[in-house]
Every structure is written in C-alpha cells, then in structure tokens.
Amino acid sequence: MFSYTPLDHDRHEIRLLTFNFVNPPLSHENLGDSPSINLSLSHAFLDAELAPVYNALSYVWGDANDTRPIILDGHVFQVTKNLFTALTQLHASQVRARIWIDAICINQSDNDEKAVQVRLMSSVYSLAKNVLIWLGPEPDGGAFQTIRSLAAMYRDSTNEGYINIETITDREDLQFEERMARLGEEVVELADSGGDEDGRLDFEALWKLFFDRPWWHRVWVVQEVVLAKAAMVLCGDEFVLWEDVKDIWFVLLAVSHRVLRIGDDKYSNLANAVNIIIGIFGHLEAASTNYEASLINAQERGVGEAGLSLFEALEVTFQSNTVAATDERDMIYGILGMVQPEDRCKIPVDYSSTNTMERVSFDVSKVLLMKYGPNILSSYQRLFSVKHHPAAIPSWVIDRTSAFRTALAVKVEDRHPINNLYHATKGTSWEEWSARSEIGQASYGEPRISLPGRIVGRVVNVGKTLVDMTVQKYSAEWYAVVTKWLFELIDMLETYRASLAGNSEFLTSTLENVWRVPVLDSDVDGTARADDGLWREVFLAGFETLTLTGKKQSWSDVDDEEQTELPNDLFMYLGACKVQRQRSFVDNTGRPGTTLQDVQVGDQVVIFPGAHVPFVIRPVTQKGGDVVHHMVGAAYVYSIMDGEAMEDDLEFQDIWLA
C-alpha cells in the first residue's frame, strides 16, 4: 500500500513527480487493461538556493468517484479520470521534466498538510518553469487556430506584443480605441467571409472551447495562470500559448462593440458567442491584468512582494457568477496565492470539519472591515449559499464570493484613487475613526463588533413591491414592476405629507425629486451623478411621462406597437432604475430611500464615519436588556447622500452589530 513520506514544512518542502518510461511498460495485476502510468515521487525545497526545475499542472479534478489506477512508487494509486487522461497525454508526449500535481503531490487525507501546502501555492506556481493547462482529451475543433489568428491580428494592430493599460496616456488611449475599432471591423468582415489565407476564424469552435470545458469555472485556476511565468493550454495533443489566449481579450471586446454598432440580426450568433466567451473569460483577464500591474508597482517602489489586496482578488475573481469549487471553503483558499502577504497571512487555512464556510467568511469580513471600514458593508450580501440558516452567522458578515453586488457598492482600492459618487459622511475618513471601533477582538463565538455611528432616521413605511433578479431589464414585466415600485413610493410620501399639520416645504421638494430614488441619483451605468451631463434632463422627461401616463394604464395592456409610440426618455429612465432586490421606504423625517429587501418598519438609518453611503440597521433587544443591531444593508436616502446629516451637532454613539 502506498504511503507518503512527511514533508519538512519549515523549509517549504514539496513533492514532485517524474515519469518512469519503461519499455516494455511495467504491468501490475491491479491495473487490468488500463494503460500503465508509472510515476515516482521526490522531494524538493522551494527555499533552496538552487530552486528545483519543474512544471505544474492546472486542471479540473472531475468526479472523485470516477477513478483510474496508476503506479506510484511501485504501488497502485487512484486518480480521477480527468487527471488520468492528462497523465496519459503527458506520458505519450515523453515529458521528462518533473511535474507538480496537487492531487498526488499533496497528501489529500492530511488536513494539516493541505493547509500548509495551500499557503505555498503562490511559490509553487510562480516558480514553475511552465504551467500546463489541461482542458481535456477532446480535440479543440479549430479553436486553437482561431486563437492564434486573433492574437496575431491583435499584435499587428498594436505594433507590439503588450500594451500597459495601467500607464497608458489619454492620447495613447484614444489611439488604442481607434485601432481596436478598426480591428473589430476587420475581424467581423473576416468572420463573415469565413477567414483568410492563414485559416478559418471559427467562433463556434472558440465558443465551445470556453463553454464546454469546466476548467474555466474552477476557482483554483485563476491564481494558477496569474502566477505562471509561462503557460500553455492543452487539448489532446494540441496546444496554444496562454499569452495568445490573453491577447484575444481586446479582440473579443472589439468584435462585440462592432456587432452592436452594426445592429444586423445576421450577426446575432457571432455576438452571442463572443459575449458568452467574454463573460466566462473576464475574471481571468482582469486578475492577470491587475496582478501584472502589481508586479510593475512592486518593482517601481522596490517594496515587498507583488500581489493583489484581498479585496481586489475577491472582486476580480467573483465578478463571474460561474466560478465554483468542490469544497466551498476553497472559494477563499483558492485565491490566496495571488494575495499580497500582509493580507494573506490574516486568513487561517483550516480544512478541519469544524471550520465551516461561515467561519471562513467571518475571517474574511473581519479582515476587510478592519482595513477599509464600513464601506466594505455597502456591497452587503448575506450568505444565501451556505448550508445553514443565515441567522447562524453575524449580520455584518458578507459573502464576497457572490457575483451579486448591490448598486450602492462603494469601491475601495489600494492602488488607484476611486471617485465614489456619494459622500454621506462629508469627507470623514476611516483612518480618523477606526481607533474608536471594536472589531479585532471579535471571534466566531463572540461575534459582536462596535462601530461609531450617528442614527439620523427611523423607517416608518416600507414598500411591498420587490423587483426580483429574474425580471429581465427592458421587458414589459420590468417596466410594469418598476413603475409599480415607484408609484408605491410616491403614495407613501403623499400619505406622510397628509399626516402633517399644514404643508411641508421639504415634502414638496422631496416629491419633486423622488425620481432620483430608483436611479440612485446616478446615470445609467452608475458611474456619474444624475445631474452630470444630460441625464437630469432625460430622466426628468421620462419621469414626467411616467407620472402622466403610468397610473392610468397597465403595462401588460401596452402592445409592442404602442410601446414604440412612447417617448424614448421614458424607457431610458426605467432602464436606469437600479431596484433589483431593493425595497423603497420613507423615514420619520419624510425622506424617501431604498435599501435591500429585508427592510421593515422600525429599522434605523445610520451614518458611519468614513462610509460614503448611509446604512439601514435593525435594533434588537437581547435577553439581558442590551440593545444590539443587525445590518440590513447600504441605503440611498434622498437629501443625506452628500453629508447633509453631518451638519448638526448630533453625537456619535457606539453601534454594536451582531
């Protein structure tokens, strides 16, 4: 029976595999008719003065119950079918260099060893001579030739092999956009004609390569390709360089923009194929680009190791909603290799049965909250994906692995200044107030934290309409439900005004500006305030059309022909509404707002120093009489998004979140 020799973790020891090419192949009674793959294990030290030379395999394990036997150090050893096909191809290719493969080189039954080896992933993949990406034994079907052709066209169009997007000037940026526009036009023409003398541009084969291969969706592969000095993609006995795969990114964007501009239905299949590939591949391109920028930054500053911040690694990886892992804890552990050491060391890697995904998320949320403050909570997403009820974890713990981000998610970044749209705390910084918080002492058993805050309102009415994520934008259903959402908010404001003794000048102004609430007072993309440019004029016109007609008709009664007769401003306004999973509310001062769907009457509006947006929290009285709060979510509240609530003399109090 095979058994592992322990590793010297203090010296960063790893195991490496070597193929034993024996002719004729060795036989073994337990191998049956399977081809004989014979391997030997050796040990090497990553911190040795002379680093070992080896390749590393990047692949998908596949079904753990579907295995094939190989010979390892003279003993039968079971590997998954997908790994077996990779080994078979490497054996047939007479690969002589040593190779690192996680399923064999790490003792998978030893949780302590796994935890240590996961922390070495950054070194394992960055020191490898080549990273071999195994997509499967099936032929690529012409996709690799399409990749080579598109990559060559990209390099020809840029007159060089690489453009540093991080340092590009405005003039260079304009020139680059013009070149990409011409490239998009050229590629679409070639695709329409079937290709050129160098080969056919087969976008269907390219789409299948991305859509049908599970490798693109495995969380571990992000750091594996990001850290690689060199990498190649293998399908059966064919390969293409990873650099060529990366270079087609801008080509795909250019093709997508060109097809959109043409607007011809005959290109719908091409557009769908390209946009699906962009969606699947986007997180890998973003991670690679950001990591390369961190390398340049580290070299220029001459400080520390390169790497992404924990926040940045989470953001780029989980912008895709298809990233997955067999062990859900690996959704975090699987990206730590590309995280800068000062953040990486704060996340304990623990594969024991008591360390659940909830605990891992607790650790991540705590690290991010201590570093960035309450802005982190603005993209608040409860752990809907975990097996236990969300109430089992603190309300301030967020699921950073979810692709869902609230429309109010504040951007926090280490390397680039971010122009956030709102300034609810009027320029106060987290650094100024962090000392008054109590976060570091929190544990999973005692998870309460304290943030300084100012309570500025209490929710007195809540809308009933909820826009589900399944409702497709620009559909008749979307127009109907958003219209209902908005008029429900207007009715709540009018009810509030009727309850006042006399007219309220503020309420009149509020009703005139209620159009801002569903669009969060921002443009279509949420990148500028609604008063910037022409958006105010467009949105006001759309809102006025809606208030004149919306209450008098049901969108279900409006046929396609009647829709074409409605002003375009109306559709632009409704399309700009950002109300998915949001409910409207009115507070005790008559301010309208919107926050996540769990809001209820009695919740409080709070301002946390250093945060760009206000939040809604819920007071909860515990058994001993102490009052703690549960986080509901970030909020847009009319008339306090630019620091207006900071202008009075209200004291900040300690807000305990549990």
Side-chain angles (χ1 to χ4, degrees):
M1 179 182 294
F2 174 81
S3 63
Y4 284 98
T5 301
L7 295 170
D8 184 347
H9 297 312
D10 293 334
R11 294 191 58 191
H12 296 170
E13 190 174 27
I14 63 171
R15 301 183 184 95
L16 295 172
L17 292 162
T18 304
F19 281 97
N20 297 320
F21 295 101
V22 181
N23 193 16
L26 291 175
S27 62
H28 194 287
E29 60 181 2
N30 293 325
L31 289 178
D33 296 328
S34 298
S36 178
I37 301 298
N38 194 304
L39 297 164
S40 296
L41 273 177
S42 60
H43 289 205
F45 297 104
L46 290 177
D47 60 358
E49 186 174 341
L50 185 61
V53 178
Y54 63 95
N55 296 322
L57 187 67
S58 176
Y59 68 107
V60 174
W61 280 31
D63 186 352
N65 297 315
D66 187 3
T67 62
R68 302 289 185 275
I70 63 169
I71 297 175
L72 181 62
D73 284 347
H75 300 277
V76 174
F77 188 93
Q78 297 291 331
V79 298
T80 62
K81 177 184 176 181
N82 191 49
L83 177 53
F84 183 80
T85 62
L87 292 171
T88 301
Q89 182 58 52
L90 295 173
H91 183 274
S93 302
Q94 294 286 300
V95 172
R96 300 285 176 176
R98 290 191 291 179
I99 187 168
W100 187 89
I101 302 174
D102 59 352
I104 305 175
C105 294
I106 299 175
N107 183 355
Q108 298 296 327
S109 63
D110 186 338
N111 285 332
D112 292 336
E113 179 177 301
K114 283 169 60 179
V116 174
Q117 291 286 293
V118 164
R119 290 204 169 277
L120 293 180
M121 290 295 188
S122 177
S123 298
V124 168
Y125 280 94
S126 62
L127 292 175
K129 182 180 180 181
N130 287 290
V131 173
L132 308 177
I133 299 167
W134 177 248
L135 296 188
E138 301 81 10
D140 67 282
F144 282 1
Q145 181 55 49
T146 299
I147 289 173
R148 294 188 193 98
S149 297
L150 293 177
M153 294 173 69
Y154 169 74
R155 287 190 287 268
D156 288 344
S157 71
T158 59
N159 299 318
E160 55 181 307
Y162 174 71
I163 288 182
N164 184 2
I165 300 301
E166 296 289 325
T167 60
I168 201 167
T169 65
D170 290 341
R171 181 179 178 184
E172 290 170 334
D173 186 45
L174 180 59
Q175 293 173 344
F176 180 73
E177 289 183 4
E178 291 173 348
R179 282 180 286 179
M180 288 302 98
R182 290 195 296 271
L183 177 60
E185 184 176 357
E186 180 183 356
V187 173
V188 171
E189 289 177 357
L190 283 173
D192 200 21
S193 64
D196 58 16
E197 65 274 8
D198 295 326
R200 180 167 171 260
L201 292 181
D202 192 339
F203 279 93
E204 182 178 358
L206 190 63
W207 169 76
K208 288 181 178 179
L209 184 76
F210 282 86
F211 191 77
D212 291 345
R213 312 278 178 149
W215 182 87
W216 304 99
H217 308 291
R218 179 174 174 260
V219 69
W220 287 98
V221 308
V222 181
Q223 67 176 18
E224 291 167 3
V225 296
V226 162
L227 297 169
K229 290 187 290 189
M232 61 178 63
V233 185
L234 309 173
C235 274
D237 58 1
E238 295 290 328
F239 75 91
V240 67
L241 297 178
W242 178 251
E243 285 299 315
D244 286 345
V245 179
K246 284 172 56 181
D247 281 347
I248 72 169
W249 170 255
F250 285 110
V251 184
L252 295 173
L253 291 179
V255 171
S256 178
H257 292 160
R258 177 59 183 169
V259 171
L260 182 63
R261 173 171 288 188
I262 295 173
D264 192 326
D265 288 343
K266 79 172 184 176
Y267 295 111
S268 60
N269 289 339
L270 175 61
N272 290 337
V274 167
N275 289 331
I276 287 172
I277 297 170
I278 289 172
I280 293 172
F281 184 50
H283 67 294
L284 289 168
E285 192 282 331
S288 295
T289 299
N290 289 16
Y291 192 82
E292 287 169 3
S294 79
L295 287 172
I296 295 171
N297 187 47
Q299 291 169 358
E300 290 177 347
R301 297 173 59 194
V303 293
E305 294 182 41
L308 307 179
S309 68
L310 177 60
F311 173 82
E312 190 175 14
L314 290 163
E315 285 291 289
V316 297
T317 302
F318 299 111
Q319 68 183 27
S320 168
N321 60 6
T322 65
V323 176
T326 303
D327 186 330
E328 60 183 347
R329 294 170 297 186
D330 285 337
M331 297 289 274
I332 301 299
Y333 299 159
I335 67 172
L336 291 180
M338 60 182 177
V339 171
Q340 54 195 210
E342 56 264 39
D343 281 355
R344 187 194 316 155
C345 68
K346 297 172 183 175
I347 305 297
V349 178
D350 180 2
Y351 282 101
S352 66
S353 59
T354 58
N355 192 47
T356 61
M357 184 59 186
E358 292 92 331
R359 287 179 177 268
V360 176
S361 295
F362 174 89
D363 292 333
V364 170
S365 298
K366 180 178 171 181
V367 169
L368 294 176
L369 190 54
M370 290 180 68
K371 184 173 183 178
Y372 299 105
N375 274 332
I376 283 294
L377 301 175
S378 65
S379 57
Y380 179 78
Q381 167 76 352
R382 287 297 293 271
L383 291 173
F384 295 120
S385 61
V386 298
K387 296 177 181 178
H388 302 296
H389 192 276
I393 61 173
S395 68
W396 54 268
V397 171
I398 52 180
D399 182 9
R400 298 302 307 189
T401 68
S402 171
F404 171 71
R405 295 286 182 270
T406 68
L408 285 164
V410 174
K411 299 177 179 66
V412 296
E413 252 269 13
D414 295 318
R415 292 183 293 104
H416 305 296
I418 296 294
N419 181 26
N420 282 298
L421 298 185
Y422 314 107
H423 304 278
T425 56
K426 208 170 185 177
T428 61
S429 70
W430 172 243
E431 289 76 15
E432 297 171 2
W433 287 83
S434 59
R436 185 168 163 179
S437 68
E438 294 188 37
I439 304 172
Q441 85 294 338
S443 65
Y444 194 73
E446 295 290 338
R448 294 201 315 171
I449 63 170
S450 174
L451 297 175
R454 172 183 285 185
I455 295 174
V456 298
R458 177 173 51 82
V459 175
V460 296
N461 208 345
V462 174
K464 297 181 176 62
T465 301
L466 180 66
V467 183
D468 191 83
M469 293 294 288
T470 60
V471 179
Q472 186 176 355
K473 267 201 169 187
Y474 305 108
S475 65
E477 184 182 6
W478 171 265
Y479 298 139
V481 72
V482 172
T483 301
K484 183 179 179 182
W485 190 100
L486 177 58
F487 280 117
E488 198 171 63
L489 176 59
I490 293 173
D491 288 342
M492 287 192 293
L493 284 171
E494 290 176 341
T495 299
Y496 182 87
R497 182 165 65 172
S499 69
L500 299 176
N503 293 326
S504 167
E505 183 178 338
F506 173 75
L507 260 295
T508 300
S509 172
T510 300
L511 282 165
E512 292 173 353
N513 285 277
V514 72
W515 62 270
R516 299 178 185 272
V517 178
V519 297
L520 307 182
D521 199 11
S522 63
D523 65 8
V524 172
D525 299 321
T527 56
R529 292 294 284 267
D531 285 331
D532 296 344
L534 297 175
W535 289 113
R536 174 186 171 88
E537 181 181 336
V538 171
F539 288 169
L540 270 175
F543 176 75
E544 288 174 0
T545 300
L546 187 67
T547 53
L548 289 173
T549 62
K551 280 191 173 182
K552 298 178 181 179
Q553 62 186 14
S554 168
W555 280 96
S556 60
D557 299 328
V558 180
D559 59 30
D560 292 341
E561 184 177 347
E562 289 175 315
Q563 282 194 27
T564 61
E565 297 174 358
L566 293 171
N568 191 49
D569 292 339
L570 172 62
F571 296 104
M572 292 187 69
Y573 175 70
L574 290 175
C577 291
K578 307 166 185 70
V579 294
Q580 294 99 325
R581 292 186 180 175
Q582 300 274 311
R583 285 195 200 279
S584 60
F585 68 85
V586 174
D587 75 2
N588 60 314
T589 68
R591 290 184 294 233
T594 177
T595 188
L596 286 180
Q597 59 197 42
D598 294 332
V599 62
Q600 63 187 36
V601 172
D603 290 347
Q604 297 170 330
V605 180
V606 64
I607 300 287
F608 292 122
H612 284 76
V613 297
F615 291 84
V616 172
I617 57 177
R618 179 167 304 144
V620 178
T621 302
Q622 296 185 315
K623 288 183 179 180
D626 293 337
V627 176
V628 297
H629 292 82
H630 289 172
M631 175 61 66
V632 175
Y636 172 87
V637 185
Y638 171 69
S639 81
I640 65 170
M641 301 304 289
D642 295 303
E644 297 90 338
M646 299 287 288
E647 294 173 357
D648 53 38
D649 296 326
L650 286 175
E651 291 293 325
F652 283 93
Q653 64 186 80
D654 294 329
I655 306 292
W656 286 94
L657 296 174

Tab-separated table of all heavy atoms in Angstrom, residues 32-62:
chain	number	residue	atom	x	y	z
A	32	GLY	N	-5.415	-4.017	-14.495
A	32	GLY	CA	-6.312	-4.508	-15.539
A	32	GLY	C	-5.809	-4.128	-16.913
A	32	GLY	O	-4.621	-4.210	-17.218
A	33	ASP	N	-6.736	-3.650	-17.772
A	33	ASP	CA	-6.380	-3.306	-19.146
A	33	ASP	C	-6.001	-1.836	-19.310
A	33	ASP	O	-5.752	-1.377	-20.424
A	33	ASP	CB	-7.567	-3.607	-20.080
A	33	ASP	CG	-7.886	-5.096	-20.118
A	33	ASP	OD1	-6.937	-5.884	-19.979
A	33	ASP	OD2	-9.069	-5.444	-20.281
A	34	SER	N	-5.953	-1.064	-18.212
A	34	SER	CA	-5.646	0.360	-18.313
A	34	SER	C	-4.201	0.560	-18.740
A	34	SER	O	-3.316	-0.215	-18.376
A	34	SER	CB	-5.871	1.057	-16.960
A	34	SER	OG	-7.214	0.955	-16.563
A	35	PRO	N	-3.921	1.601	-19.527
A	35	PRO	CA	-2.544	1.915	-19.876
A	35	PRO	C	-1.730	2.147	-18.602
A	35	PRO	O	-2.223	2.713	-17.623
A	35	PRO	CB	-2.676	3.203	-20.692
A	35	PRO	CG	-4.071	3.199	-21.187
A	35	PRO	CD	-4.876	2.527	-20.123
A	36	SER	N	-0.499	1.721	-18.610
A	36	SER	CA	0.310	1.806	-17.404
A	36	SER	C	0.996	3.159	-17.307
A	36	SER	O	1.852	3.485	-18.130
A	36	SER	CB	1.356	0.690	-17.403
A	36	SER	OG	2.169	0.779	-16.261
A	37	ILE	N	0.600	3.961	-16.304
A	37	ILE	CA	1.268	5.220	-15.992
A	37	ILE	C	2.092	4.976	-14.738
A	37	ILE	O	1.547	4.671	-13.670
A	37	ILE	CB	0.258	6.360	-15.748
A	37	ILE	CG1	-0.631	6.565	-16.983
A	37	ILE	CG2	0.981	7.644	-15.385
A	37	ILE	CD1	0.117	6.976	-18.221
A	38	ASN	N	3.397	5.101	-14.871
A	38	ASN	CA	4.311	4.773	-13.779
A	38	ASN	C	5.040	6.039	-13.358
A	38	ASN	O	5.751	6.659	-14.156
A	38	ASN	CB	5.307	3.704	-14.255
A	38	ASN	CG	6.061	3.084	-13.094
A	38	ASN	OD1	6.687	3.784	-12.321
A	38	ASN	ND2	5.996	1.758	-12.988
A	39	LEU	N	4.875	6.422	-12.106
A	39	LEU	CA	5.436	7.675	-11.597
A	39	LEU	C	6.240	7.439	-10.325
A	39	LEU	O	5.961	6.508	-9.569
A	39	LEU	CB	4.319	8.683	-11.298
A	39	LEU	CG	3.457	9.159	-12.471
A	39	LEU	CD1	2.190	9.816	-11.949
A	39	LEU	CD2	4.238	10.131	-13.336
A	40	SER	N	7.194	8.331	-10.092
A	40	SER	CA	7.961	8.335	-8.844
A	40	SER	C	7.856	9.703	-8.199
A	40	SER	O	7.807	10.731	-8.892
A	40	SER	CB	9.428	8.004	-9.113
A	40	SER	OG	9.573	6.701	-9.617
A	41	LEU	N	7.823	9.688	-6.873
A	41	LEU	CA	7.787	10.940	-6.113
A	41	LEU	C	9.175	11.260	-5.583
A	41	LEU	O	9.906	10.370	-5.136
A	41	LEU	CB	6.825	10.827	-4.936
A	41	LEU	CG	5.341	11.151	-5.161
A	41	LEU	CD1	4.555	10.892	-3.887
A	41	LEU	CD2	5.154	12.597	-5.619
A	42	SER	N	9.520	12.549	-5.604
A	42	SER	CA	10.744	13.023	-4.959
A	42	SER	C	10.409	14.294	-4.195
A	42	SER	O	9.354	14.903	-4.411
A	42	SER	CB	11.840	13.283	-5.994
A	42	SER	OG	11.416	14.265	-6.927
A	43	HIS	N	11.289	14.690	-3.308
A	43	HIS	CA	11.063	15.894	-2.508
A	43	HIS	C	11.996	17.008	-2.972
A	43	HIS	O	13.110	16.747	-3.445
A	43	HIS	CB	11.292	15.608	-1.030
A	43	HIS	CG	10.231	14.755	-0.416
A	43	HIS	ND1	9.937	14.780	0.928
A	43	HIS	CD2	9.379	13.842	-0.957
A	43	HIS	CE1	8.959	13.921	1.187
A	43	HIS	NE2	8.619	13.339	0.041
A	44	ALA	N	11.536	18.266	-2.835
A	44	ALA	CA	12.361	19.419	-3.181
A	44	ALA	C	11.998	20.571	-2.253
A	44	ALA	O	10.875	20.642	-1.733
A	44	ALA	CB	12.142	19.817	-4.636
A	45	PHE	N	12.970	21.472	-2.057
A	45	PHE	CA	12.763	22.611	-1.174
A	45	PHE	C	12.605	23.878	-2.010
A	45	PHE	O	13.490	24.233	-2.793
A	45	PHE	CB	13.941	22.775	-0.211
A	45	PHE	CG	14.116	21.606	0.714
A	45	PHE	CD1	15.126	20.681	0.493
A	45	PHE	CD2	13.267	21.425	1.800
A	45	PHE	CE1	15.290	19.598	1.343
A	45	PHE	CE2	13.422	20.345	2.655
A	45	PHE	CZ	14.426	19.428	2.422
A	46	LEU	N	11.478	24.559	-1.832
A	46	LEU	CA	11.230	25.771	-2.598
A	46	LEU	C	12.147	26.908	-2.179
A	46	LEU	O	12.387	27.833	-2.959
A	46	LEU	CB	9.765	26.205	-2.431
A	46	LEU	CG	8.721	25.311	-3.113
A	46	LEU	CD1	7.317	25.820	-2.796
A	46	LEU	CD2	8.934	25.255	-4.613
A	47	ASP	N	12.645	26.874	-0.935
A	47	ASP	CA	13.516	27.951	-0.476
A	47	ASP	C	14.993	27.603	-0.626
A	47	ASP	O	15.860	28.272	-0.062
A	47	ASP	CB	13.212	28.314	0.977
A	47	ASP	CG	13.400	27.133	1.934
A	47	ASP	OD1	13.735	26.028	1.456
A	47	ASP	OD2	13.215	27.333	3.151
A	48	ALA	N	15.292	26.558	-1.394
A	48	ALA	CA	16.686	26.185	-1.623
A	48	ALA	C	17.378	27.255	-2.462
A	48	ALA	O	16.751	27.973	-3.243
A	48	ALA	CB	16.765	24.831	-2.323
A	49	GLU	N	18.700	27.368	-2.293
A	49	GLU	CA	19.461	28.361	-3.056
A	49	GLU	C	19.332	28.108	-4.551
A	49	GLU	O	19.221	29.035	-5.352
A	49	GLU	CB	20.930	28.307	-2.630
A	49	GLU	CG	21.779	29.393	-3.268
A	49	GLU	CD	23.191	29.408	-2.714
A	49	GLU	OE1	23.410	28.855	-1.619
A	49	GLU	OE2	24.069	29.967	-3.390
A	50	LEU	N	19.345	26.836	-4.936
A	50	LEU	CA	19.128	26.462	-6.324
A	50	LEU	C	17.721	25.875	-6.425
A	50	LEU	O	17.486	24.730	-6.032
A	50	LEU	CB	20.173	25.439	-6.781
A	50	LEU	CG	20.129	25.062	-8.271
A	50	LEU	CD1	20.378	26.290	-9.143
A	50	LEU	CD2	21.148	23.967	-8.575
A	51	ALA	N	16.782	26.690	-6.927
A	51	ALA	CA	15.381	26.273	-6.962
A	51	ALA	C	15.205	25.075	-7.885
A	51	ALA	O	15.879	24.965	-8.918
A	51	ALA	CB	14.510	27.431	-7.439
A	52	PRO	N	14.305	24.156	-7.552
A	52	PRO	CA	14.072	22.992	-8.413
A	52	PRO	C	13.437	23.402	-9.744
A	52	PRO	O	12.723	24.406	-9.825
A	52	PRO	CB	13.111	22.137	-7.582
A	52	PRO	CG	12.406	23.110	-6.685
A	52	PRO	CD	13.430	24.156	-6.361
A	53	VAL	N	13.724	22.632	-10.783
A	53	VAL	CA	13.131	22.864	-12.100
A	53	VAL	C	11.974	21.884	-12.276
A	53	VAL	O	12.166	20.668	-12.170
A	53	VAL	CB	14.168	22.675	-13.220
A	53	VAL	CG1	13.505	22.879	-14.583
A	53	VAL	CG2	15.328	23.651	-13.045
A	54	TYR	N	10.810	22.402	-12.538
A	54	TYR	CA	9.628	21.546	-12.665
A	54	TYR	C	8.531	22.298	-13.402
A	54	TYR	O	8.581	23.528	-13.550
A	54	TYR	CB	9.120	21.117	-11.277
A	54	TYR	CG	8.651	22.281	-10.420
A	54	TYR	CD1	7.311	22.650	-10.379
A	54	TYR	CD2	9.558	23.020	-9.652
A	54	TYR	CE1	6.876	23.725	-9.613
A	54	TYR	CE2	9.144	24.093	-8.880
A	54	TYR	CZ	7.808	24.442	-8.869
A	54	TYR	OH	7.382	25.513	-8.117
A	55	ASN	N	7.545	21.569	-13.882
A	55	ASN	CA	6.313	22.132	-14.428
A	55	ASN	C	5.191	21.911	-13.418
A	55	ASN	O	5.308	21.065	-12.520
A	55	ASN	CB	5.945	21.477	-15.761
A	55	ASN	CG	6.972	21.748	-16.844
A	55	ASN	OD1	7.520	22.845	-16.925
A	55	ASN	ND2	7.249	20.750	-17.670
A	56	ALA	N	4.112	22.651	-13.546
A	56	ALA	CA	2.945	22.466	-12.684
A	56	ALA	C	1.715	22.278	-13.553
A	56	ALA	O	1.578	22.940	-14.596
A	56	ALA	CB	2.759	23.663	-11.751
A	57	LEU	N	0.848	21.387	-13.141
A	57	LEU	CA	-0.361	21.094	-13.910
A	57	LEU	C	-1.545	21.865	-13.341
A	57	LEU	O	-1.758	21.912	-12.133
A	57	LEU	CB	-0.669	19.596	-13.867
A	57	LEU	CG	-1.822	19.125	-14.767
A	57	LEU	CD1	-1.449	19.275	-16.245
A	57	LEU	CD2	-2.197	17.673	-14.454
A	58	SER	N	-2.301	22.492	-14.233
A	58	SER	CA	-3.553	23.160	-13.877
A	58	SER	C	-4.672	22.413	-14.591
A	58	SER	O	-4.688	22.315	-15.817
A	58	SER	CB	-3.524	24.630	-14.323
A	58	SER	OG	-4.763	25.261	-14.064
A	59	TYR	N	-5.617	21.888	-13.826
A	59	TYR	CA	-6.641	21.014	-14.410
A	59	TYR	C	-7.849	20.971	-13.478
A	59	TYR	O	-7.844	21.553	-12.393
A	59	TYR	CB	-6.075	19.593	-14.587
A	59	TYR	CG	-5.814	18.886	-13.264
A	59	TYR	CD1	-6.634	17.845	-12.836
A	59	TYR	CD2	-4.774	19.281	-12.423
A	59	TYR	CE1	-6.421	17.217	-11.618
A	59	TYR	CE2	-4.548	18.668	-11.208
A	59	TYR	CZ	-5.374	17.633	-10.811
A	59	TYR	OH	-5.170	17.025	-9.590
A	60	VAL	N	-8.871	20.268	-13.909
A	60	VAL	CA	-10.060	20.034	-13.081
A	60	VAL	C	-10.043	18.590	-12.612
A	60	VAL	O	-9.831	17.678	-13.409
A	60	VAL	CB	-11.351	20.316	-13.888
A	60	VAL	CG1	-12.586	19.931	-13.085
A	60	VAL	CG2	-11.421	21.781	-14.284
A	61	TRP	N	-10.251	18.397	-11.327
A	61	TRP	CA	-10.232	17.032	-10.793
A	61	TRP	C	-11.285	16.156	-11.469
A	61	TRP	O	-11.016	15.027	-11.826
A	61	TRP	CB	-10.488	17.065	-9.283
A	61	TRP	CG	-9.290	17.409	-8.474
A	61	TRP	CD1	-8.255	18.214	-8.840
A	61	TRP	CD2	-8.985	16.958	-7.155
A	61	TRP	NE1	-7.338	18.311	-7.828
A	61	TRP	CE2	-7.761	17.543	-6.778
A	61	TRP	CE3	-9.638	16.128	-6.249
A	61	TRP	CZ2	-7.166	17.320	-5.532
A	61	TRP	CZ3	-9.056	15.914	-5.010
A	61	TRP	CH2	-7.831	16.493	-4.663
A	62	GLY	N	-12.482	16.664	-11.582
A	62	GLY	CA	-13.578	15.845	-12.097
A	62	GLY	C	-14.235	15.041	-10.986
A	62	GLY	O	-14.016	15.290	-9.795
